Structure formats: C-alpha cells, structure tokens
Amino acid sequence: MKVAIHIKNKTEEHIKGRQALEQALSRNGIVVVNEWTQGESIDMMISIGGDGTLLSAVHQIGKAGIPVVGVNFGHLGFLTTAGRSDIDNLAESLKESNYSIESRSMLSVTIRTGERKQQLSALNEVYLHRCEQSPLLHTQVEVDGQPVATYAADGLIVATPTGSTAYSLSCGGPILTPDSGSLVLTPIAAHTLTQRPVILNDNVHLTLHDEERKVRFTLGVDSYVCQLTGDSIIDIGKADYCTQLVRIGRQNFFSAIREKLMWGV
C-alpha cells in the first residue's frame, strides 16, 4: 500500500504527529509519499488535523477518487476516524485491510456575476450569510427552475448529508444519513417561524439569489469564503463524483454521532 499524508498546520504538535504516523506506517510495510502531486498513484490520503484539514485534503484530491482517512489533532473531528493516540491501530488496520469506505456525495457550485463564472465544489455545505452591517437577506430559492420560497433570514445553508452534522445542525437542521440521497435547506435565524428546514432530493438543481441587488453577503463553500452582492446568482447541483471516506474497524456513521455528538446518550 502507498499513502500520502496531508497536513495543513505546521505546529510542533502536528509535525511530531506526522513523524509518529510515518514510523507506524513504515513498521507495517506501508510506503509514504513525501510530496504528493495530482495524478500520482496512491491508495489513500491521510490527513492530520481536524475536519478543516480533512476538507482541505478532499479538495486537493478532487475527482481522483482516492479514499481519505483523518487523524484528529483538532477538537471535535467528526469526519476524522482516528485520534492522536490511535496511530498504531490505524497503521495496523490499513495493513490488514480492516476498514470500510463510505461514498459521500459532493455539491457542484457555480457563481455567476454578469458574464463571469466561478466553479467550486463542496463536501459539507454552501452557505450565504449577511455581512455585519447589512440588513436581513431575502434569498430567493428555485428548485429545477420553479420558485420555492424567499427566505428572510440572516442567511441560508444548503447542506449535504455529510454537512448535515455541521453548520446546518447548529441552526436546527436535521441529521441526514450518508446514503439518504438528499440535501437540506436550513435558514440561519429566520425572520418567521414558518420558514423551517426543508429536505430535497439531491438530484435537483438549486438557484439562489437575493431579491435586493445592492445587498452584500458572505458566501461559504466548505472552507472557501468570499463576499458577493445581490447581482450574483449561485447555482448548486450534485457533483459528478463522490468523496471516499475511510472508517476503521467497525466504525460507522451512527457510532460517530453517538461518540462525538453524544447522540442518544
């Protein structure tokens, strides 16, 4: 087996963690690629950090289809599989093929501002949020070209099942299982109680724009953040590829939410 290690924070703790991981992998006969580049053949990418680092690894891999496993050096680390004390167990599990792979849907995002277009992708979510001095957003949502609603709120989240346990959950959205084939629209601090989260089939095409052209808002696409105005239109659909996340041993989605979100405890 050949793997690459992705590390974003170059703190002493993270560097020591990488060294310990490289030694554990070497003891188990696993080859580590020092500087991985797109197109180079590897069997797995290992991220060292929190969920943000794992998302960074996912976007580095892109459409290559390389499985990703996370070692948590952050706080919650919901998407990660192992903790810093589990490095030896992780290496042994990889050697013995004692792991499973979950396929996670991705979002394809197009930002249109006049004649300009920008293409992005998201594993977790896309969100719009009003800027600090801006009034409420009035986000008009269309599904497959049909008007759905205008959300008067601080913002709006479009989350995948993977992202349903992140920002959307903190705003009152539901938990979606990875194989549910769905998306959730979750308003952020909605102006009226009638505007609740809505679950949609993930094969729909969403169009978002604000009814006020001069309003300024922040757009987040996973870790990517930019500022836009009401002149911009955001198109969201299901990407033509999935991300492969690795689970060690008997881990699964429900064991993760029990252990890390204290779900049902």
Side-chain angles (χ1 to χ4, degrees), residues 184-197:
V184 59
L185 296 179
T186 305
I188 304 169
H191 186 57
T192 62
L193 291 175
T194 57
Q195 294 188 317
R196 312 303 298 169

Side-chain angles (χ1 to χ4, degrees), residues 14 16 28 43 83 87 89-90 124-125 132 138 141 153 159-160 170 187 213 216 219 239 254-255:
H14 286 76
K16 287 183 177 179
N28 285 274
D43 299 298
I87 286 175
N89 180 54
L90 171 63
N124 265 1
E125 76 265 310
E132 186 175 349
H138 292 81
V141 179
T160 64
S170 71
R213 297 186 66 182
R216 297 187 65 82
L219 175 72
F254 291 108
S255 68

Side-chain angles (χ1 to χ4, degrees), residues 1-4 30-31 33 36 40-45 65-68 99 101 246:
M1 173 179 276
K2 186 194 298 186
V3 304
I30 298 172
V31 177
V33 175
W36 181 78
E40 185 176 1
S41 177
I42 57 173
D43 299 298
M44 194 172 293
M45 174 80 79
I66 299 167
V68 185
Y99 60 86
I101 296 176
V246 177

Side-chain angles (χ1 to χ4, degrees), residues 99-136:
Y99 60 86
S100 59
I101 296 176
E102 294 179 353
S103 184
R104 300 295 185 96
S105 60
M106 299 282 292
L107 295 177
S108 175
V109 184
T110 303
I111 305 169
R112 292 185 282 142
T113 306
E115 297 298 319
R116 292 176 295 162
K117 289 186 179 181
Q118 184 177 6
Q119 190 72 37
L120 301 165
S121 60
L123 173 63
N124 265 1
E125 76 265 310
V126 179
Y127 69 84
L128 289 68
H129 197 286
R130 68 184 183 92
C131 293
E132 186 175 349
Q133 302 300 324
S134 297
L136 286 178

